[in-house]
Amino acid sequence: MSNRGSDIVALPNAPPPSLPPDAIISPVWVSSPPLVPSALSTAPRAHTAEVIRLPIQIPSCSARRPGIQSSLPLAVLFLDLYFRYPTMDVPSNCPSPKLHTRLRLWEFADRYVFEPVDGLADLLLSVSRVNGSMNLIEELPQRGSSTNPKVQIVFGVIGVLKLAVGTYLLVITDRDCVGSYLGHAVFKVTGLRVLPCNSSPSASAEQKNVDTEFSELLDAAERTIGLYFSYDSNLTVTSQRLHELGDEFKSLPLWRQAEPRFLWNGYLLEPLIENKLHQYLLPVIQGSFQSIHAEVRSEKVNVTLIARRCTRRIGTRMWRRGADPEGYAANFVESEQIMQSKGFTASYVQIRGSMPFLWEQIVDLTYKPSFHVVRVEEARRVLERHFHDLQKKYGAVVAIDLVNTHGGEGRLYDRYAKSIEPILSEDIRFVHFDFHKICGHIHFERLSQLYDQIEDYLKKHKYFLLSDKGEKIEQQTGTARTNCVDCLDRTNVTQSMIGRKLLESQLQRIGVFGANDTVSNFPDFDANYKVLWANHGDAISTQYSGTPALKGDFVRYGKRTTQGILNDLWNALARYYLNNFADGTKQDAMDLLQGHYISSVSRDMAAPVKAGLLENYASFRLAFALILVAVMFMIMSLRQDVAKCGQLATLMTLQHGMIPATWCCHLCGLVFASAYRDMSKPMAVCSAIDHVFTSHAIDRCREIVSTSRELDSLLQHQFCEDSIHFILF
């Protein structure tokens, strides 16, 4: 059950009454400013290969608190190399500052004031509304009779964004508690707000117009989805990695623990780091956090699924494809499945990402733009760099490629196979599985053929397993990297299959399952587990493409359904619209938040002209007209073997009503009855279109149903598979 943060009444020095027990805040020693280094360097940019390190002076903890001796952990150098951050050394016996969990935001005319109401500190954060400067103050400004500041509760400062003429703060206005990770509450951001600090009277009209243009990007930033955080636990690092790094690592502030590639707000935190506002440095990831709880043979089983989206080549479908010259792949997501039962903890990490060489798919108003491999001569170097980085982080890698072997996808497959061939070894394997050719759109059980090819690899490289005493029993030494073209739909189906196999192995290992038991033997557990992965796939897909994943009905229910196919059709059309008319702005907003979008203002530049209502209306009509044209092309492509599709439409009428059947009839080109020789069949089809059923039509419908009871049997017809394939893929 979700606990909505906006419903919590914040009282000083008291934990929130509606949070789970593991989220209760314990008082900590706060008698002086947080420990900070005298020289502080910010994190290198995502595309920078070198690591910049500055000398760091460590303040003595014993000087601030009697009886505590300063010590330097030996793991600091190792952590610095691994995380590419200049690590601040904090003695393990000196607690890192706790993060503020709720703040009262006062909006004065000249400043914003954040007043902690969680009992962790007495100082207030003041931010100028003129230039964005920040400082800590002891009390609220004086309020006169004419002063009536707005007040609201916020749950954290995500960061600060600096543009041409002003500064913007991003704050969390709403949150949901979605579960716990390693005993600490995990929250999903459900409300974001951008606070402008650009009321400078000296700004020119041109500068103000430029920042007005950025307002659209800031609006898109406020609508960012899939953000998760914890005040007490590091969500950016896997369970195995966290166990290996130990207690000294955990004593560092959370933002120091964070792995930069999964720290969504790393760039936004830099101004807070520079101002040494450690209690406000809240690490945030983008991805997904799902969990289920089940009882299997009187044993409680908890399964958590975390997706961590990499920020190095973050973007939207079609606007970010392939890899960049540094080897960072688009839509790179780390998925960790964590199982807890009988005191044991097990996890398995697998990854997805675009094919790691330089290629693109430029939107051009066609339904499926052409694929283009860019700088073919660099493909091998980029791919080698990508896999070298994966080996350092995960060990061995099996690359599972699910694309077609013909057409545009076939050209990408050829380039991938040729580029990876020189580096194939015991630690790097390449497995190609033509998903559409082998599985079609309903025979996903044939994924067992893929599992047979990688089963030995999965067993060899195992999974992470902790005993009920916290001792490591097994260690994961390799991962599976899966891709299709988008790394969404086919990829999620495949990853859910791998996750299921590993979960069964883990439960058999600790004695919850028998030697021959599978998840399918326990219907309630099976149903919840399917929903877990379906939600996981929908979250990743929505962030990248703007719509839930296709083929989600199979992941959710274990089979293809009529409603699932119709949903896929709608989502495919929605993706077409978003790719061509919305994702450009969304991409710019992402680049802005990650520090990749450079804004500058020239005195001589003309003020941009913002599109008016007429232009926006014209753009909408153009988009709508293009979508209708695309649908017409689909109809033309489907005017084959109409008898089978007529049966499909009629059966849909009986099972799901006339409106779904009408959609099917139109899309299959069955508007005119002359397509049939037998005049009794057109009457059944046309009755669905006209919403008029004659007794003869109903008799014919019953006759057709008697010969084909299930819709799935109709979908097995090759033409229907090819037609739906054209629409959805």
Side-chain angles (χ1 to χ4, degrees):
M1 180 179 297
S2 298
N3 297 317
R4 185 166 291 278
S6 58
D7 299 332
I8 299 173
V9 179
L11 299 175
N13 302 312
S18 61
L19 289 180
D22 55 6
I24 291 179
I25 303 167
S26 302
V28 296
W29 167 75
V30 181
S31 61
S32 61
L35 299 179
V36 295
S38 59
L40 193 63
S41 62
T42 57
R45 291 288 187 270
H47 59 272
T48 304
E50 290 80 18
V51 180
I52 302 174
R53 297 179 176 82
L54 296 178
I56 296 178
Q57 296 179 0
I58 310 301
S60 172
C61 191
S62 58
R64 297 178 177 270
R65 192 179 183 192
I68 297 181
Q69 301 297 321
S70 175
S71 62
L72 298 178
L74 297 177
V76 169
L77 180 59
F78 174 75
L79 294 175
D80 186 20
L81 292 172
Y82 178 75
F83 287 102
R84 300 183 181 180
Y85 258 88
T87 306
M88 180 181 70
D89 209 344
V90 178
S92 59
N93 54 0
C94 185
S96 61
K98 288 287 185 179
L99 299 178
H100 289 305
T101 58
R102 56 187 51 75
L103 303 156
R104 188 176 288 119
L105 170 61
W106 298 81
E107 299 182 44
F108 293 93
D110 62 337
R111 70 182 76 181
Y112 300 106
V113 177
F114 296 89
E115 177 191 7
V117 291
D118 50 18
L120 295 179
D122 296 327
L123 295 178
L124 291 70
L125 173 62
S126 174
V127 182
S128 170
R129 298 184 70 163
V130 176
N131 56 21
S133 60
M134 293 175 279
N135 63 291
L136 296 174
I137 58 177
E138 294 184 353
E139 59 184 14
L140 288 170
Q142 293 294 326
R143 285 167 283 169
S145 57
S146 61
T147 305
N148 187 23
K150 292 173 57 179
V151 183
Q152 75 173 112
I153 294 293
V154 297
F155 303 97
V157 179
I158 282 186
V160 179
L161 180 64
K162 293 185 177 181
L163 296 181
V165 296
T167 299
Y168 297 83
L169 277 77
L170 276 74
V171 297
I172 301 171
T173 59
D174 209 355
R175 67 183 183 186
D176 281 348
C177 185
V178 293
S180 64
Y181 180 62
L182 303 179
H184 299 289
V186 175
F187 298 91
K188 179 180 181 180
V189 176
T190 55
L192 270 180
R193 184 182 171 196
V194 176
L195 303 177
C197 304
N198 58 352
S199 57
S200 173
S202 61
S204 65
E206 290 83 3
Q207 289 174 321
K208 290 183 178 180
N209 283 335
V210 169
D211 264 27
T212 300
E213 288 298 308
F214 279 105
S215 64
E216 185 178 3
L217 303 185
L218 295 173
D219 290 341
E222 283 188 338
R223 297 192 298 270
T224 302
I225 60 174
L227 302 181
Y228 295 83
F229 67 93
S230 173
Y231 298 109
D232 302 290
S233 186
N234 181 9
L235 299 180
T236 67
V237 180
T238 65
S239 304
Q240 177 171 304
R241 188 65 182 160
L242 206 56
H243 178 80
E244 292 172 347
L245 293 170
D247 294 335
E248 289 184 346
F249 174 78
K250 296 174 186 176
S251 70
L252 298 173
L254 279 183
W255 72 274
R256 286 290 187 185
Q257 299 179 28
E259 187 168 352
R261 61 186 179 136
F262 296 132
L263 183 60
W264 179 83
N265 60 332
Y267 173 72
L268 301 175
L269 288 179
E270 290 181 4
L272 298 176
I273 296 172
E274 293 170 0
N275 286 275
K276 304 175 183 178
L277 300 170
H278 290 265
Q279 288 188 285
Y280 296 87
L281 294 169
L282 179 63
V284 175
I285 67 169
Q286 186 178 38
S288 175
F289 187 97
Q290 312 283 337
S291 60
I292 59 172
H293 309 280
E295 187 169 321
V296 179
R297 290 179 174 162
S298 301
E299 296 289 349
K300 293 183 178 180
V301 178
N302 300 327
V303 182
T304 300
L305 193 54
I306 305 176
R308 305 177 179 98
R309 178 176 295 278
C310 180
T311 63
R312 296 293 172 84
R313 189 164 168 75
I314 196 169
T316 58
R317 179 178 179 261
M318 299 220 185
W319 292 77
R320 282 292 183 271
R321 294 295 207 186
D324 64 15
E326 302 298 324
Y328 298 118
N331 200 24
F332 186 90
V333 181
E334 177 184 271
S335 298
E336 180 180 15
Q337 178 178 276
I338 304 169
M339 182 278 298
Q340 294 174 302
S341 183
K342 297 177 65 175
F344 291 85
T345 299
S347 83
Y348 186 77
V349 176
Q350 51 185 320
I351 55 179
R352 69 177 73 190
S354 191
M355 284 176 273
F357 50 89
L358 305 177
W359 64 278
E360 61 187 12
Q361 192 176 15
I362 300 175
V363 290
D364 56 5
L365 299 182
T366 61
Y367 180 74
K368 192 171 184 179
S370 300
F371 303 109
H372 301 285
V373 179
V374 183
R375 304 209 297 265
V376 177
E377 67 280 0
E378 295 189 29
R380 176 177 172 181
R381 179 191 64 81
V382 172
L383 184 142
E384 287 181 356
R385 186 160 188 168
H386 176 79
F387 277 91
H388 178 66
D389 183 61
L390 294 185
Q391 283 186 286
K392 288 194 300 182
K393 291 179 172 63
Y394 302 103
V397 182
V398 56
I400 303 171
D401 183 29
L402 303 173
V403 301
N404 302 337
T405 55
H406 59 275
E409 291 189 17
R411 292 193 299 273
L412 294 179
Y413 156 67
D414 289 339
R415 177 51 49 197
Y416 195 1
K418 291 177 182 177
S419 299
I420 199 174
E421 185 176 2
I423 63 172
L424 295 179
S425 64
E426 282 292 319
D427 290 336
I428 297 181
R429 290 176 56 180
F430 179 74
V431 176
H432 179 259
F433 184 82
D434 192 330
F435 190 100
H436 286 148
K437 181 178 180 180
I438 299 174
C439 297
H441 304 291
I442 57 174
H443 298 296
F444 292 171
E445 72 281 357
R446 295 175 184 170
L447 276 172
S448 60
Q449 298 177 28
L450 171 61
Y451 181 73
D452 292 341
Q453 298 181 57
I454 62 175
E455 181 179 10
D456 62 325
Y457 171 90
L458 297 177
K459 290 182 177 179
K460 176 181 178 181
H461 294 287
K462 305 176 183 177
Y463 47 80
F464 176 59
L465 179 62
L466 285 180
S467 70
D468 52 357
K469 298 179 180 179
E471 300 172 346
K472 183 170 66 175
I473 301 175
E474 294 286 2
Q475 179 174 348
Q476 183 178 344
T477 59
T479 190
R481 184 198 191 279
T482 308
N483 76 269
C484 47
V485 173
D486 297 331
C487 304
L488 297 177
D489 312 316
R490 288 170 278 183
T491 294
N492 203 64
V493 173
T494 302
Q495 285 197 336
S496 67
M497 179 271 292
I498 294 175
R500 174 181 288 257
K501 295 293 186 181
L502 268 297
L503 178 63
E504 290 170 350
S505 176
Q506 294 161 359
L507 291 173
Q508 290 169 1
R509 175 75 177 272
I510 66 176
V512 176
F513 277 8
N516 298 319
D517 281 338
T518 65
V519 174
S520 302
N521 296 143
F522 305 91
D524 291 341
F525 184 30
D526 185 32
N528 290 333
Y529 185 73
K530 289 173 180 174
V531 172
L532 179 78
W533 269 98
N535 292 342
H536 179 82
D538 286 347
I540 296 173
S541 178
T542 302
Q543 292 160 30
Y544 189 54
S545 71
T547 73
L550 308 184
K551 304 183 179 71
D553 53 337
F554 177 82
V555 179
R556 197 175 297 273
Y557 307 115
K559 63 179 181 179
R560 295 245 63 182
T561 64
T562 308
Q563 187 62 46
I565 292 172
L566 292 175
N567 288 341
D568 285 358
L569 172 61
W570 174 254
N571 288 332
L573 292 174
R575 286 183 180 183
Y576 171 80
Y577 171 79
L578 293 172
N579 294 157
N580 286 279
F581 303 102
D583 283 352
T585 299
K586 186 177 177 182
Q587 182 66 58
D588 286 342
M590 290 182 177
D591 289 338
L592 190 70
L593 294 175
Q594 298 301 321
H596 305 316
Y597 196 111
I598 306 301
S599 62
S600 60
V601 180
S602 169
R603 292 183 179 180
D604 300 326
M605 70 181 297
V609 179
K610 193 172 184 66
L613 181 62
L614 180 61
E615 288 85 349
N616 290 333
Y617 178 67
S619 297
F620 173 78
R621 294 189 65 183
L622 173 62
F624 186 73
L626 288 170
I627 291 177
L628 288 181
V629 171
V631 172
M632 289 181 62
F633 277 112
M634 293 178 191
I635 294 173
M636 293 173 62
S637 69
L638 297 175
R639 297 179 65 96
Q640 305 174 31
D641 200 345
V642 290
K644 275 289 182 182
C645 289
Q647 293 183 18
L648 172 62
T650 306
L651 186 56
M652 287 176 62
T653 302
L654 292 183
Q655 292 185 350
H656 303 281
M658 293 177 289
I659 294 178
T662 304
W663 268 84
C664 183
C665 291
H666 281 290
L667 289 175
C668 294
L670 301 179
V671 178
F672 299 102
S674 58
Y676 292 92
R677 294 182 180 177
D678 185 347
M679 291 305 295
S680 61
K681 288 182 179 179
M683 291 179 65
V685 175
C686 292
S687 63
I689 300 174
D690 298 332
H691 295 187
V692 177
F693 274 87
T694 64
S695 58
H696 183 69
I698 293 175
D699 291 339
R700 289 300 299 157
C701 288
R702 289 172 178 167
E703 178 182 340
I704 294 173
V705 172
S706 67
T707 59
S708 182
R709 290 284 182 184
E710 298 294 335
L711 177 63
D712 289 345
S713 65
L714 291 173
L715 294 179
Q716 293 178 13
H717 190 263
Q718 186 60 44
F719 164 67
C720 290
E721 286 195 7
D722 292 342
S723 302
I724 296 171
H725 175 273
F726 177 84
I727 297 174
L728 302 183
F729 306 101

